[in-house]
Amino acid sequence: MKKLALLTAGALAGGALTLSLQAFADKEASSPLPLNELRTFAEVFGRIKQDYVEPVEDKKLINEAIKGMLTGLDPHSDYMDPEAFKEMREGTQGEFGGLGIEIGAEDGLVKVVAPIEDTPAQKAGVKSGDLIIKIDDTPVRGLSLNDAVKRMRGKPGTKVTLTIARKSEAKPRVITLVRAVIKTKSVKFKLLEQDYGYVRVTQFQEHTVENLAQALQTLYKDNKTPLKGVILDLRDDPGGLLNGAVGVSAAFLPKDALVVYTEGRAEDSKMHLTAKVQNYARGGADPLAKLPAGIKNIPMVVLVNGGSASASEIVAGALQDHKRAVVVGTQTFGKGSVQSVLPLGNSGGIKLTTARYFTPNGRSIQAKGIEPDVVVEDGTLNASDQQTLRVREADLENHLANPNGDDKAPAKPVLKRPAIKPAVPAQPTPDNGKDAPDESSSREPNPKADYQLGQALNILKVQQILINKKGS
């Protein structure tokens, strides 16, 4: 009983502190504490400590209680222990301690898709097609890609030994590498053909806006003449940093154009973010200042699908509302909420939903998504398969409701053009790096193999023909 009393007192003290802080934040300090619920919490805590089949550490119980409190709110609020918080920060910063290898899975082993230029892996002679069969003394067979990535990542300056099988060699080779700071780029680009550029944003990170500016400048330089059209590929981009979405939108919109606004309970969650340098630059010079002037006016297509979420939907919605681009593909995921990442004293943090965001025309995308101007199905799946396999925000348990009161119907009438069906289904494009948290897709953009990309390119060419006719 004495132990239970101490546990109760500790739980009550912790609960009182948490609730008092919350009450202070909401300026509702006069609200009474839910003592009955706190007593129940303490009683359950005590029962687990006393009667559970195996001993459980207090730290684990408290962490799981905090996690449950947050995950019960909505699908995107979460508690991150120090390790998870560190990984999240590495993901948004685009930097981590590792080896610099794009990886995929093959026959239960880890396959090297490509070593990243100027990294420990490349310098040690790791090649595309190599199979990693051991990481230090741990066999790779049976490990998930996530587990393999965690074992290869680590503090810069530390060593890791890889045992590699290469088809051209009879015996495996053992390579010891020293981890270094690896910087990933969230923007990939290519000239699809003369005058038509392609830019893919795989995730919105701290350096995405700078990387996008460099990509567009390089495309103009490589083309030797001004581009006649550009495709922005946001398919399967899960989102990321809000200021990154504002910056990517600002690259194509007039100065001070509204990109997105947010509404929440706290005053600092109510924002109107425009295409202004203060809303996307990380400090210092404007990364978009040297963009070619023509990028604001050339024909543009934005590619989206069911994997385009959050920041991707902000960009697609802004460019669609301003009639700056034709949005092509399939309906997006529908994540129209903003999460604030708040660090905690234990070096962990919480991800808390603090606002809903709205497109410039006042559309909420929450649990609805962006509807393309031109619906183009993925040529590798038929419509019924896509409907069956698709999981969207509206399918998630405890998802926030759309403030317009309808999670499925558009907030206002939307002109929907007929869906374009492929005459001959395109062959699937391999994406070997897809499941590797280290890397974004290694897929090469190919309009002939990628049906949606091919249709996007056709739309750009039709727009250019219309521009030429108008000019003549």
Side-chain angles (χ1 to χ4, degrees):
M1 288 300 293
K2 183 178 179 181
K3 288 182 179 178
L4 182 57
L6 289 172
L7 288 171
T8 304
L12 287 173
L17 175 60
T18 301
L19 292 171
S20 294
L21 289 172
Q22 181 64 48
F24 176 78
D26 291 341
K27 299 181 180 178
E28 297 174 356
S30 59
S31 300
L33 296 174
L35 294 179
N36 287 337
E37 285 75 13
L38 288 172
R39 289 191 185 99
T40 302
F41 173 83
E43 183 179 356
V44 173
F45 189 96
R47 282 294 181 185
I48 294 172
K49 291 293 293 181
Q50 180 178 328
D51 296 337
Y52 187 66
V53 64
E54 295 177 347
V56 186
E57 293 182 355
D58 293 350
K59 180 180 178 181
K60 176 177 173 57
L61 288 177
I62 295 296
N63 283 348
E64 293 299 328
I66 296 170
K67 191 175 184 70
M69 181 165 54
L70 285 158
T71 55
L73 298 173
D74 64 75
H76 308 294
S77 294
D78 198 7
Y79 168 70
M80 295 170 283
D81 61 25
E83 182 180 354
F85 187 60
K86 180 183 176 184
E87 289 179 0
M88 183 278 302
R89 292 182 63 186
E90 288 175 345
T92 57
Q93 290 170 352
E95 297 183 3
F96 58 89
L99 307 177
I101 312 174
E102 294 185 18
I103 62 172
E106 183 174 291
D107 297 330
L109 300 175
V110 172
K111 181 179 181 179
V112 176
V113 175
I116 300 173
E117 187 177 353
D118 197 28
T119 62
Q122 188 205 39
K123 292 175 181 177
V126 176
K127 295 183 178 181
S128 299
D130 285 351
L131 293 176
I132 301 174
I133 57 179
K134 265 189 181 183
I135 303 172
D136 288 327
D137 294 326
T138 304
V140 167
R141 189 174 295 279
L143 288 181
S144 67
L145 279 177
N146 278 329
D147 289 336
V149 167
K150 285 182 179 180
R151 290 178 182 275
M152 287 188 284
R153 283 188 179 183
K155 187 177 179 180
T158 58
K159 294 181 179 181
V160 60
T161 299
L162 301 182
T163 303
I164 290 175
R166 187 172 292 169
K167 291 181 179 179
S168 60
E169 299 179 4
K171 295 182 179 180
R173 70 167 56 194
V174 178
I175 304 174
T176 298
L177 304 97
V178 179
R179 296 181 178 96
V181 174
I182 307 299
K183 296 184 178 181
T184 61
K185 286 192 175 182
S186 60
V187 177
K188 299 189 176 186
F189 61 95
K190 182 181 180 180
L191 272 176
L192 294 177
E193 56 183 66
Q194 181 67 31
D195 297 333
Y196 294 97
Y198 169 89
V199 179
R200 172 169 166 76
V201 179
T202 59
Q203 188 178 7
F204 290 83
Q205 301 174 341
E206 286 188 4
H207 301 281
T208 295
V209 181
E210 297 99 298
N211 292 343
L212 174 72
Q214 293 167 5
L216 292 173
Q217 289 167 350
T218 303
L219 286 172
Y220 267 78
K221 181 180 178 181
D222 292 346
N223 198 57
K224 296 184 173 56
T225 58
L227 293 176
K228 294 181 179 179
V230 65
I231 295 170
L232 177 63
D233 191 349
L234 300 178
R235 290 176 296 176
D236 296 318
D237 182 331
L241 299 179
L242 180 59
N243 62 345
V246 175
V248 170
S249 302
F252 306 101
L253 291 174
K255 184 180 178 182
D256 296 334
L258 180 62
V259 175
V260 64
Y261 68 91
T262 63
E263 292 184 355
R265 293 172 63 204
E267 281 303 314
D268 61 0
S269 68
K270 300 172 183 177
M271 300 181 291
H272 277 68
L273 299 175
T274 60
K276 186 182 295 185
V277 63
Q278 293 90 331
N279 292 327
Y280 59 81
R282 296 183 299 118
D286 182 358
L288 304 178
K290 296 182 180 180
L291 282 181
I295 202 65
K296 301 281 187 182
N297 302 306
I298 61 172
M300 181 178 182
V301 168
V302 177
L303 275 173
V304 297
N305 64 6
S308 306
S310 192
S312 300
E313 295 173 293
I314 290 176
V315 175
L319 297 175
Q320 187 180 55
D321 279 6
H322 286 290
K323 302 187 185 304
R324 175 63 189 88
V326 179
V327 178
V328 174
T330 56
Q331 190 171 2
T332 61
F333 185 79
K335 182 180 175 294
S337 60
V338 179
Q339 282 68 47
S340 298
V341 177
L342 309 172
L344 299 177
N346 68 345
S347 299
I350 62 172
K351 187 167 59 171
L352 186 66
T353 300
T354 54
R356 289 181 174 89
Y357 69 74
F358 297 81
T359 70
N361 287 350
R363 293 183 292 158
S364 171
I365 300 164
Q366 176 57 26
K368 186 192 316 179
I370 294 291
E371 297 190 0
D373 299 308
V374 181
V375 178
V376 179
E377 303 288 354
D378 181 351
T380 63
L381 295 172
N382 60 44
S384 61
D385 286 340
Q386 291 188 57
Q387 186 69 26
T388 302
L389 296 173
R390 183 182 66 184
V391 176
R392 301 178 61 247
E393 175 81 8
D395 300 319
L396 301 181
E397 189 175 357
N398 295 330
H399 71 269
L400 294 179
N402 188 289
N404 296 310
D406 192 338
D407 292 356
K408 296 181 180 179
K412 59 181 181 179
V414 176
L415 178 62
K416 294 176 65 175
R417 303 181 190 181
I420 300 174
K421 302 292 184 181
V424 180
Q427 294 301 311
T429 305
D431 187 3
N432 297 324
K434 177 178 175 182
D435 298 320
D438 273 19
E439 311 301 338
S440 54
S441 168
S442 60
R443 178 176 57 198
E444 271 294 307
N446 183 350
K448 293 182 179 179
D450 184 336
Y451 183 76
Q452 290 174 320
L453 180 58
Q455 293 301 319
L457 183 58
N458 290 339
I459 290 170
L460 283 183
K461 291 180 177 179
V462 169
Q463 287 184 310
Q464 190 59 48
I465 291 172
L466 295 176
I467 290 172
N468 293 337
K469 284 186 177 180
K470 187 176 180 180
S472 60

